[in-house]
Amino acid sequence: MKELIEYIAKSIVNAPDDVAVNEETDEEGVKFTLQVADEDKGRVIGKQGRIAAAIRTLIRVKAAKAGTRASLEIL
Amino acid sequence: MGGEPAVVRVEPLASLSQPDSQVIEVAKGVLETLLGKIGVAATVVIQDKSKVESGVSQIVFDIKGEDLGILIGRRGHTLACLQFILRLIVGHQIGVWLPIVVDVEGYKARCSERLRALAQRLAERVRVGGVPFSLEPMLPYERRIIHIALADYPGVTTESIGEGNARKVVIYPK
């Protein structure tokens, strides 16, 4: 899942080297935090959070296949 | 207040009336990478892009494989997200906006067919009965299918009303 988030983020930002994804697992599932360069924030969030929402939907597919839950936060 | 007129430079994304095959291959590769990272075993088939709808040629990628309902989601929501992300990545990487449509096992093609048939039936009812009919809320591309299907239908006109997720098509007698 981490690679999926990383791949999407790196593919849509201007500073792919500044993309970092953190992963934390607790009883609720896996929590990911995505960090990008300040000027790229809009590129991963999108108007009304549309891009972030779409990324979340895709990681949920992967999580469902793995029988777990996943959440994504953008820092 | 002083100042000078702002200069706004807008560079159009190179528009491709006839997307070249190299660009299509790049887009296909991105979709395959996405699917691989999502973890579904599937193949991507480029559909005959000569299929022209309302003058706009679309590049249709049909994803084929076993048990892909998970990629479609409720009312095609997941599929819409996949298409959105793919267009975004391709747009960012090659600086060209492509009219890419992502489908799963012909799901959208079947839905479109069903919508067109529904539109025809309802248009006939409106034309004969003279009473407007309002359809249930639909996604933009679904409403578009209805509008296009009935553009030349005699005796009726269509219009979308409502906002956001509640936007729906109404068929009116002319």
Side-chain angles (χ1 to χ4, degrees), chain B residues 6-23:
Chain B
V7 176
V8 180
R9 191 164 290 135
V10 180
E11 284 182 34
L13 290 174
S15 72
L16 294 175
S17 50
Q18 206 55 49
D20 57 273
S21 53
Q22 210 181 332
V23 169

Side-chain angles (χ1 to χ4, degrees), chain A residues 1 3-4 7-8 10-14 43 50-51 53-55 57-58 60-62 64-65, chain B residues 29-31 33-34 36-40 67 70-71 77-78 81-82 84-85 88-89 92-93:
Chain A
M1 263 180 276
E3 293 105 85
L4 176 64
Y7 173 72
I8 296 173
K10 281 176 189 271
S11 305
I12 59 176
V13 297
N14 285 347
R43 289 190 182 88
R50 219 179 136 205
I51 299 172
I55 298 173
T57 300
L58 296 187
R60 232 173 275 137
V61 172
K62 177 130 205 194
K65 282 182 83 76
Chain B
V30 172
L31 179 56
T33 306
L34 277 172
K37 290 189 191 291
I38 291 170
V40 295
D67 212 17
I70 198 167
L71 273 187
H77 176 72
T78 305
C81 289
L82 184 61
F84 178 61
I85 293 290
L88 209 60
I89 293 177
H92 190 78
Q93 287 195 337

Side-chain angles (χ1 to χ4, degrees), chain B residues 102-119:
Chain B
V102 180
D103 204 349
V104 171
E105 294 278 9
Y107 167 82
K108 272 191 193 165
R110 284 195 303 280
C111 285
S112 309
E113 218 25 75
R114 210 176 299 139
L115 281 176
R116 270 182 222 114
L118 174 73

